[in-house]
Amino acid sequence: MPPAKLPKFPGPLTARGAVLAILISDADQTGAPPLQGRTSLAAIVKTLKRKYHWPVETSSFPSNTGDGRASWATVYSLPPAVIAKALDSGGREWLERRSAAHGAP
C-alpha cells in the first residue's frame, strides 16, 4: 500500500482556504462569513479531501428547520492529531498569512 499523501494547504484567500482555516483553528464557526458564489460547502470539503488530502470527517444528524420541516445537518471536522500536526507543519504561518491578507490585526 503506498504511503498516504500529506495534506497540502490551498491558497489562503480561496473558499477552500476559508473552510480549512475554520477546520484547523479554534475559530467560532458561527461567526464565519457565508461562502460566496455557486460552490457548496460539501463540494469544497470534497476537494479538500481529494485534491488536498485533508482527512475531513463528516457526521450528519436529523434536525428541524425554522418552519418545522425535518432536515439533515452536517458537521465537518478534522481529528485533533491532524490539527496539531498541521499547525506544527506550517499551519500557524499559513493562518497568519491568511489573517494578514484579510487585514486582521
Side-chain angles (χ1 to χ4, degrees):
M1 181 174 189
K5 293 186 178 183
L6 294 175
K8 300 182 291 184
F9 291 94
L13 298 181
T14 63
R16 294 171 191 148
V19 171
L20 182 61
I22 291 170
L23 290 172
I24 67 171
S25 72
D26 59 358
D28 181 3
Q29 293 186 31
T30 60
L35 297 171
Q36 303 297 317
R38 299 173 189 248
T39 304
S40 70
L41 178 57
I44 290 171
V45 168
K46 184 176 179 179
T47 300
L48 286 172
K49 290 170 87 168
R50 290 186 176 181
K51 183 177 179 181
Y52 294 91
H53 315 293
W54 287 95
V56 179
E57 297 175 343
T58 304
S59 62
S60 297
F61 54 91
S63 180
N64 292 319
T65 63
D67 62 4
R69 291 178 293 146
S71 181
W72 284 88
T74 302
V75 175
Y76 300 103
S77 62
L78 288 170
V82 170
I83 294 169
K85 187 172 182 178
L87 291 173
D88 290 342
S89 301
R92 284 185 183 83
E93 295 80 8
W94 181 83
L95 286 170
E96 289 170 9
R97 284 194 310 273
R98 183 175 153 69
S99 293
H102 282 289

